[in-house]
Amino acid sequence: MNALKPVTAATLLRARQCDEKTVWLTAYDAVSASIAEAAGAEVLLVGDSIGMVCLGFDSTLPVTLDHMIHHTAAVVRGRKHAWVVCDLPFGTYQQSPEQAFASSVRVLQETGCDAVKIEGGEHMAATIRFLAERGIAVVAHIGLTPQSVKKFGSYGKRGKDYAERTQLLKDAEAVSSAGAVSLVLENIPADLAAEITGAVDIPTVGIGAGISCNAQVLVWNDLLGISESNPPFAPAYARVRDIMTNAISRWVADVKSGRFPE
Ligand code: KIV
């Protein structure tokens, strides 16, 4: 992938066709966007995970469209060529295709981002088709869908039994035929993710879904070790929380002892 050319949905499809892995990372502001892009991330996902990792909520349910627009606009200002995807938050698309369209229009017009992401499979296919037919790039998200945590009761793995596997396969095929441009697979068995990746024509993006997906995504705070704890499928590549705490506490000590300013 040519890192200097703007990434598009077509770029991601071509990468899949050439067996080239694509890297997605969440970003929530202009600083995280520019660092992630400089480090090689091709897609910046403004996830509604922001509710839990930045805004102090205990689930993604309280996140609003205004929150997402505020942060996505900042990410767009911080990127140069990455493809920026904004999560539509809970309650802003499930009611009807028209509601999803109105929310997507606000997001696209007020932020300048490239695509919206919605959670749900077969039951969201009509909405995805409605948006796709109106020119909107839609990323679908199945498997563990955090906006449904109250229904499922946990953030545990999905697709563990035959019935759930069969439904997830149907979900993947339904959203792909409805016109989704990419498909996030969260916290499902690796062999099921491999089967889904083989069954659909669009790029799959795994998080806790094994190595066969066409792309991988992680949450910024998890990857960098800023979160207090990570989901089991999200390794920390650094301990940035410790680095920040150490720097601030050394400065606090210097102020208290009169060593700062010199
Ligand atoms: O909200 C989010 O960050 C996400 C990713 C975990 C895929 O949806």
Side-chain angles (χ1 to χ4, degrees), residues 37-90:
E37 190 180 70
E42 289 131 341
V43 178
L44 304 175
L45 168 63
V46 192
D48 61 353
S49 52
I50 191 170
M52 298 174 79
V53 300
C54 298
L55 302 180
F57 298 129
D58 64 1
S59 77
T60 59
L61 302 190
V63 176
T64 65
L65 202 56
D66 286 340
H67 291 138
M68 294 308 299
I69 287 173
H70 180 78
H71 288 273
T72 304
V75 167
V76 169
R77 288 192 291 273
R79 69 97 184 250
K80 290 197 178 75
H81 47 262
W83 200 57
V84 176
V85 181
C86 172
D87 258 347
L88 291 188
F90 178 65

Side-chain angles (χ1 to χ4, degrees), residues 188-244:
I188 64 171
D191 66 325
L192 175 59
E195 197 177 339
I196 289 175
T197 301
V200 297
D201 294 327
I202 55 175
T204 56
V205 186
I207 173 160
I211 52 161
S212 302
C213 297
N214 305 116
Q216 293 291 326
V217 59
L218 281 177
V219 167
W220 169 268
N221 299 53
D222 294 340
L223 172 72
L224 294 175
I226 299 171
S227 303
E228 277 180 281
S229 66
N230 281 16
F233 51 78
Y237 272 63
R239 289 268 151 233
V240 172
R241 189 183 186 88
D242 294 345
I243 294 169
M244 292 194 288

Side-chain angles (χ1 to χ4, degrees), residues 20 31-32 39 49 68 76 88 97 112 121-122 136 142 146 159-160 166 171 174 176 179 188 191 234 241 256:
E20 189 191 328
V31 176
S32 53
S49 52
M68 294 308 299
V76 169
L88 291 188
E122 215 176 4
I136 296 174
I142 64 171
K160 287 201 293 196
T166 312
D171 287 337
S176 167
I188 64 171
D191 66 325
R241 189 183 186 88
K256 295 276 187 195

